[in-house]
Structures are given as C-alpha cells and as structure tokens.
Amino acid sequence: MFRTWSMFLAIAALLIVSVPTALAQSSDEVDYDRKSDNIELVARAQFPQGTDMFFQRRDGLQRVDGRVVHGTRDYLFAGADASSAVGEPPEGTPEGIRIFDVTDPTQPHELVAVDCSGYHADIAVYEDLLIHGIDSARSNEGCDERFDPHGLNQKGEAGVRIFDISDPARPTLVAHLTEEETGTDAHNITTLPWAGVLYIAGSGFTQADTVLSIVDLTEPDFPVKIIPMQAISPTATAECHDIGVANLGHRALAFCAAVEQTFIWDVSDPMQPRHVANVVGPPESIHHGARLAPDGRTLVLNDELGGAAAAPGCLPTTNDPLGALFFYDIGIPELPVYLGSFSTSEAAAKLPCTSHFYNFIPGTNLLTIGWYKSGMIVVDYANRTLPTEHAVFTPTGGDFWAAYYWHGYVYGNSFGGGGLYGGTNEAGGIWVTQLDGVGDVNPSPYDAGVTWAPWTASDPAPGASDFSRPTFG
C-alpha cells in the first residue's frame, strides 16, 4: 500500500478523462432480440466493457465537480473493464470506472471516466470511499500499465484500489492494497455499511490455502485481517466467489458463495465470521453469488455455469436447470430449505446463458438480474417453488454483467465488447429502464433546478461538520 500525497495528486491529474454526456434513447430506436411490453428504455450511456454497478444517494450540502450544492442527488458508480473476457476496447477508451449523476434517471450525466484499468472492476462504495476490485495482474499502483490479456489470474498488482469520492466528479486515489497485503486477489468485493468493513472474495477455486480478507474502512491506513477459510467453514475448498450480506437487526448474516457450496455465516462481529450452515445442492455448477431478499428469509443463489464461457445454453426449469437461480427458505438460517429454481425461456443454443449479478425490488416479490447474452431479466418469486419471468430486456449485441433496481428504475451494465461472448461495443454501457407498476418505494424530492454555488480553492474545504454523510436508500 502507498499513501504519498504528492503521488496521489499527480495520479489524480492523470485519472480524469473528459467524456461526453450520456444521451437519452427511446425503445423504438433500439433493436432487440427479446423485450417484453412491460419494460421500456428511458436512457442509456454507451461505453464498452461495462461490469458491476453501485449506487449512492446523498442528502444535504455536497460538493460536486468543485461546486457546492444542497439537495438530494443520486450517483451511479460503474465498472468499465471486462476486457479479459471480451478483448481490448477501442484505442483511447478509458478503462476502469465511470461515475454518473443519475438524479434524473432519464438524463444520466457522466461526471468522469477514471482511466485506471483493473479486471474485472468490481465496485463498492462506503461513505466517501470508492473501492475498485482487481482480480488479475492488470496494472500497477499508478494506473499507467495496461493489461496483458493472457495474464488472467497471474500474480501481481491485483487487490483493491481505494478512492476518495467526497467530490464524486473528482475521485482521488488514496490507497492500493495489493494482493500481497490482502492475501488474495479481489474477484468480487462487498461492503458491510453498518460496520465500515469490506469483505474481499478472491478467485481461488480449488486452493487449499484459501482465505477471507477483511478491510477496516474506518481507519486511515485500511488495516487488513486475513482469515483462513477453513477456520470459519471447515469444509471450504475454495474462496468465496462472491459474498452477500444482510443486517437483520438482531443478527447480521453473510452468504459466501464458494463455488461448490454456499456458507451462511453470522457476522454480528464482522471481524470474526462464525459458521452457521452449509447450502450444498441442488446441482449448481458454480455457486457464484447469494443474496437475501427483503423479506429476510428468501435466500437466492445464482449459478454461473462454467464461468459463463462454457455455458451450453439455458435448460427448461423442470430439468434441473444449470446457470440458473435457486431459491431457499432460511427463516431458520441453521436449516436452509430448498424451494425451487428459475431459468430463462431462451433457446438452448443461446450462449452464454447463465445468471450473474442481481438485486431485489423492495416492497415486491421481484428481482432484477443481468443474464449475460440473455439480457436484463425481472423474476417474480411470489411462488418461490416456481418463480416466473416477469419482464425481459435484451437489446441486440448486449451482454449484461449486472442489472440492479434503484429508486424506481432498473439499470443494466453491458460489457458488449465484440469478443468471446459475441456482443458489440455499441451495445456496451449503462441501460436505464422503467418497469410498469414499479415506482420509487422511497421517493425523495429531487432538486434538479438547484443553484450551484461556485467553489474555489480559497474556500474552506468541505468537512464532516459542513456536509452530511451519504445515506444509503
């Protein structure tokens, strides 16, 4: 890790890339492989290599692009580096992170492209910190070394980068925790926002010495605790591929999808997870992720069949689907009960057909998920034994890494790329859609017409006493 401020300032000057404002686009201007009538495109921001997303709502006095504003604003932080999977982006394309103001979701405004490559650019945010996951030897601390696409999973400067985003349009690199310091690469990362802790999930599929890495984000030097996986779950033979978390009030739980099985942990003490239960079947190929629904008892696992690349297409729900979603009742976390599964209705020849990143729509029985080449899918799990397809949005050439609901809209991030999965660069980037009958379950008055006050270096720098801390809707 390095924390030399003069170096940070020099790097920060290199990171900021001017980019055009995203343009709104209507559904009738786009070609689709499949689209249901109950979902419509309201805007998009085109760029190649889209991966993960994270959202943040900020209330009160804020600083944006060096100016001071008071109001409620929404920000989208998007990973933009899938080139290990789909080939290098066009020359001159920033790789790393894209940051958008989506206060008006129909007019997303791209604040900055952070040109700091790092496959596969998993994204997490904690208060004024943006964390960037790197799972291969993709670049050095200074963000100026490009990736050798044949070096996937080689050791090097993998790990996590941490940026100060107190001004989200002017991110500043403040730390790089390398693989040597974290004990693992960072395939996926998860924050525990109530605790100020980051969990790092690596890409060790069959290693005997796999670990869980925990970063304390509340300390200025970001200390790391490394725990052998077997010390938490004795049957572990792989690292957590991804980790879902839920604070239920009376206890906090984490769900470690560890390739061959999923572990349920009690993380009421976030620095010392305690094993609660194993979820072994049904026949998932790769336990990729696990998330708890808003009802506090429906656990949803997703299978990233064959790491996506080897997926032989979708199978009918009645035939032990692979690359699918699997639903469990964990009303008693110690006794998970399998309920049912969901896969898409795509033809078996569609490649790759496998589930990926997802979240839930609060106040409903709906979840939204990126299903790679099969697009953005909304699943109705009111009947958890037989979930059904509620909506689908598959623009031609899209390959959706993630699809998330955020305050009334469903956002997808497509990596496109024109490479391994057959997508196109033109179909990459953010797609903003609106689903019939679904609004903002926690509306706040957006003040799009707010007057921006100029901010200069001679003004006092905004501090904790001047600005409200971000809130998470």
Side-chain angles (χ1 to χ4, degrees):
M1 179 175 67
F2 68 95
R3 299 183 60 82
T4 304
W5 287 104
S6 60
M7 184 180 294
F8 293 157
L9 294 175
I11 292 172
L14 296 174
L15 295 178
I16 309 305
V17 178
S18 297
V19 291
T21 301
L23 299 177
Q25 197 167 9
S26 64
S27 283
D28 58 6
E29 297 173 321
V30 175
D31 293 328
Y32 295 94
D33 291 344
R34 201 160 67 98
K35 188 183 84 68
S36 56
D37 292 337
N38 59 348
I39 189 168
E40 294 298 333
L41 178 66
V42 297
R44 66 168 305 220
Q46 191 277 329
F47 59 88
Q49 316 295 341
T51 60
D52 194 21
M53 294 177 287
F54 201 102
F55 296 83
Q56 186 183 63
R57 173 165 286 186
R58 298 190 180 192
D59 296 308
L61 198 61
Q62 304 161 43
R63 182 174 62 187
V64 185
D65 199 16
R67 297 170 291 176
V68 176
V69 61
H70 189 282
T72 300
R73 307 199 74 78
D74 282 348
Y75 299 99
L76 185 164
F77 304 86
D81 200 349
S83 51
S84 288
V86 297
E88 290 295 301
E91 184 175 353
T93 301
E95 296 178 76
I97 304 164
R98 306 271 180 144
I99 301 177
F100 294 86
D101 185 324
V102 291
T103 304
D104 178 357
T106 68
Q107 294 289 333
H109 174 66
E110 187 163 4
L111 295 173
V112 64
V114 183
D115 194 10
C116 203
S117 72
Y119 178 76
H120 59 67
D122 203 47
I123 299 295
V125 171
Y126 170 69
E127 295 192 345
D128 286 340
L129 299 175
L130 168 64
I131 303 98
H132 179 212
I134 312 162
D135 83 345
S136 58
R138 182 143 184 98
S139 55
N140 62 19
E141 294 177 340
C143 302
D144 56 1
E145 180 180 314
R146 312 311 285 179
F147 174 59
D148 174 2
H150 303 293
L152 181 62
N153 293 328
Q154 71 187 34
K155 304 303 179 184
E157 297 299 341
V160 296
R161 296 191 186 94
I162 301 176
F163 297 84
D164 182 317
I165 52 166
S166 52
D167 183 336
R170 300 182 180 186
T172 304
L173 183 63
V174 295
H176 182 173
L177 304 178
T178 67
E179 184 174 359
E180 182 178 0
E181 293 170 283
T182 61
T184 182
D185 56 18
H187 192 69
N188 291 308
I189 54 179
T190 302
T191 54
L192 285 65
W194 65 88
V197 163
L198 178 79
Y199 283 176
I200 299 178
S203 58
F205 276 33
T206 58
Q207 299 169 212
D209 57 349
T210 55
V211 301
L212 172 70
S213 297
I214 305 174
V215 182
D216 186 344
L217 298 174
T218 68
E219 295 293 330
D221 290 329
F222 309 117
V224 180
K225 181 178 182 179
I226 301 173
I227 305 176
M229 282 287 293
Q230 291 79 8
I232 309 172
S233 295
T235 61
T237 58
E239 287 182 300
C240 302
H241 186 277
D242 194 14
I243 303 172
V245 295
N247 188 352
L248 302 178
H250 64 287
R251 74 191 300 192
L253 298 175
F255 311 96
C256 161
V259 184
E260 294 181 348
Q261 55 192 322
T262 291
F263 303 115
I264 301 176
W265 295 337
D266 187 310
V267 292
S268 298
D269 178 355
M271 302 303 290
Q272 189 59 60
R274 181 176 59 83
H275 186 83
V276 171
N278 289 28
V279 180
V280 179
E284 293 96 335
S285 170
I286 292 179
H287 289 240
H288 175 276
R291 298 286 186 272
L292 188 65
D295 62 13
R297 66 181 301 160
T298 301
L299 180 66
V300 183
L301 275 59
N302 82 294
D303 171 16
E304 189 184 28
L305 174 59
C314 297
L315 301 176
T317 303
T318 55
N319 292 347
D320 290 333
L322 298 176
L325 295 174
F326 296 88
F327 293 77
Y328 292 80
D329 189 315
I330 62 163
I332 302 175
E334 290 77 7
L335 297 171
V337 177
Y338 173 64
L339 299 172
S341 65
F342 170 84
S343 62
T344 81
S345 58
E346 294 283 359
K350 189 93 170 185
L351 292 174
C353 186
T354 183
S355 56
H356 209 228
F357 282 166
Y358 57 104
N359 76 350
F360 302 88
I361 302 179
T364 74
N365 292 304
L366 302 175
L367 69 81
T368 68
I369 182 167
W371 210 286
Y372 283 126
K373 199 168 177 61
S374 291
M376 299 161 57
I377 296 176
V378 181
V379 179
D380 186 335
Y381 60 94
N383 179 353
R384 297 177 297 167
T385 63
L386 193 62
T388 58
E389 183 177 278
H390 179 76
V392 61
F393 181 89
T394 312
T396 300
D399 285 290
F400 284 86
W401 195 280
Y404 297 143
Y405 170 84
W406 177 257
H407 288 291
Y409 294 82
V410 179
Y411 295 76
N413 198 1
S414 168
F415 51 90
L420 180 63
Y421 299 161
T424 65
N425 283 323
E426 292 73 20
I430 301 298
W431 297 76
V432 188
T433 65
Q434 193 159 30
L435 187 64
D436 287 356
V438 174
D440 192 339
V441 298
N442 184 25
S444 292
Y446 295 127
D447 192 358
V450 70
T451 300
W452 294 77
W455 182 88
T456 67
S458 61
D459 294 330
S465 61
D466 302 314
F467 286 74
S468 66
R469 306 301 288 173
T471 58
F472 299 86

